[in-house]
C-alpha cells in the first residue's frame, strides 16, 4: 500500500515509517504540521493516510480538518486518524462524513503491531476500524430509553465488535460462540434498531455507525 503519514512527534513519526516499510508498504509522503497535509494527500492520492488529529501550528484539530477536506475532494479516500485520547466530538465528525474507509484509533494501539496493521489494511480496503474505547464512548450516547436499551448484553457485545469492524468469524472467536449464533444476534440487533437485516459486507458496519452517530 502507498501511505501518507502526518504526525508531529518525530519519534512516533519515524516509528510509523519504519513499521510500515518493514511490513512491505510504501510511505510516499510524510508531514509534521497541518498545512502540509492536504497538499501532500492531493499530490500523492495514497491508498491510505495515517493522520494525527492534533498537529501544529494550533495543536487542535488540524489533522482531522485535513482528512475531511481531502475526502471532500476525493470521496472515499481511506483515512486512519490517531488520537492521544478518546475525543468523541472528533470521532463523530469523522464518521459523520460516511464511515466507508475510515478509522479512529488511540495512539496506544500502534504499539500492538498486528492489530494496528490489520486496522490499517481494513481501512485501506474500504472498511472501518474504531478503537474499542471510541466505540464505548459512542455507544454510551445511546443510553437513556432509546432502541439501544432494548438490546440484550450479548447483542450489545456483538454490536460493539461489529462497530469495530470485526467479521462474523472474529466475533464468534472473541465471544466464544458459533458463527450461527453471531448471525442470529446480528439479525436481532438490526431488527431492534429498525435497520435492514443484512450482515454482509460493510453495509452492516455503516448502518450501525450511522445509528451510533445519530
Amino acid at each position: 500500500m502507498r501511505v501518507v503519514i502526518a504526525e508531529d512527534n518525530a519519534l512516533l513519526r519515524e516509528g510509523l515509517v519504519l513499521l510500515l516499510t518493514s511490513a512491505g508498504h510504501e510511505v510516499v509522503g510524510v508531514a509534521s504540521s497541518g498545512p502540509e497535509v492536504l497538499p501532500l494527500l492531493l499530490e500523492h492520492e495514497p491508498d491510505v493516510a495515517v493522520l494525527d488529529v492534533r498537529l501544529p501550528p494550533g495543536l487542535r484539530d488540524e489533522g482531522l480538518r485535513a482528512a475531511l477536506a481531502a475526502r471532500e475532494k476525493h470521496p472515499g479516500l481511506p483515512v486512519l486518524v490517531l488520537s492521544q485520547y478518546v475525543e468523541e466530538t472528533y470521532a463523530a465528525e469523522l464518521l459523520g462524513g460516511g464511515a466507508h474507509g475510515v478509522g479512529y484509533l488511540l495512539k496506544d494501539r500502534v504499539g500492538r503491531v498486528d492489530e494496528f496493521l490489520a486496522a490499517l489494511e481494513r481501512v485501506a480496503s474500504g472498511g472501518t476500524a474504531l478503537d474499542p474505547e471510541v466505540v464505548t464512548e459512542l455507544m454510551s450516547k445511546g443510553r437513556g430509553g432509546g432502541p439501544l436499551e432494548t438490546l440484550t448484553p450479548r447483542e450489545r457485545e456483538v454490536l460493539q465488535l461489529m462497530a469495530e469492524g470485526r467479521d462474523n468469524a472474529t466475533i464468534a472467536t472473541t465471544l466464544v460462540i458459533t458463527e450461527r449464533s453471531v448471525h442470529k444476534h446480528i439479525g436481532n440487533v438490526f431488527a431492534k434498531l429498525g435497520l435492514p437485516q443484512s450482515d454482509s459486507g460493510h453495509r452492516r458496519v455503516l448502518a450501525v455507525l450511522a445509528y451510533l452517530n445519530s
Side-chain angles (χ1 to χ4, degrees):
M1 293 187 297
R2 300 170 64 255
V3 186
V4 163
I5 297 172
E7 167 61 54
D8 65 310
N9 183 297
L11 185 60
L12 179 55
R13 185 172 64 246
E14 293 306 313
L16 284 168
V17 172
L18 180 60
L19 172 62
L20 294 176
T21 54
S22 297
H25 304 305
E26 179 186 4
V27 177
V28 296
V30 177
S32 59
S33 68
E36 300 175 64
V37 179
L38 183 57
L40 205 60
L41 292 176
L42 296 181
E43 175 187 354
H44 294 287
E45 296 186 22
D47 297 315
V48 62
V50 180
L51 311 175
D52 188 358
V53 167
R54 302 187 179 198
L55 291 170
L59 293 176
R60 299 185 65 181
D61 59 358
E62 290 82 356
L64 176 66
R65 294 291 154 217
L68 295 174
R71 283 173 67 88
E72 282 185 7
K73 294 182 179 294
H74 292 282
L77 174 68
V79 175
L80 177 58
V81 171
L82 302 178
S83 179
Q84 190 69 43
Y85 310 103
V86 176
E87 299 177 274
E88 183 181 314
T89 301
Y90 293 159
E93 190 164 359
L94 179 66
L95 295 171
H100 184 80
V102 297
Y104 189 104
L105 298 181
L106 297 183
K107 290 186 177 181
D108 288 347
R109 201 69 52 182
V110 176
R112 304 174 187 179
V113 175
D114 290 341
E115 287 185 29
F116 172 72
L117 292 175
L120 185 68
E121 292 175 4
R122 194 158 62 243
V123 170
S125 65
T128 305
L130 293 185
D131 196 284
E133 291 188 38
V134 174
V135 175
T136 299
E137 285 287 332
L138 292 173
M139 289 188 72
S140 69
K141 293 168 56 181
R143 295 176 180 173
L148 203 59
E149 284 294 303
T150 66
L151 302 183
T152 66
R154 177 64 82 190
E155 289 165 355
R156 289 181 66 91
E157 289 176 328
V158 170
L159 175 60
Q160 179 163 340
L161 290 168
M162 286 169 56
E164 291 172 20
R166 311 300 180 180
D167 58 23
N168 284 14
T170 302
I171 293 174
T173 300
T174 302
L175 299 180
V176 196
I177 57 178
T178 65
E179 288 192 49
R180 182 175 180 180
S181 295
V182 172
H183 185 89
K184 179 180 178 180
H185 288 311
I186 290 172
N188 291 339
V189 168
F190 283 162
K192 291 180 179 180
L193 299 185
L195 299 171
Q197 292 194 32
S198 171
D199 63 354
S200 61
H202 301 308
R203 288 179 297 171
R204 65 177 189 163
V205 179
L206 301 179
V208 171
L209 290 175
Y211 172 79
L212 294 175
N213 198 40
S214 65

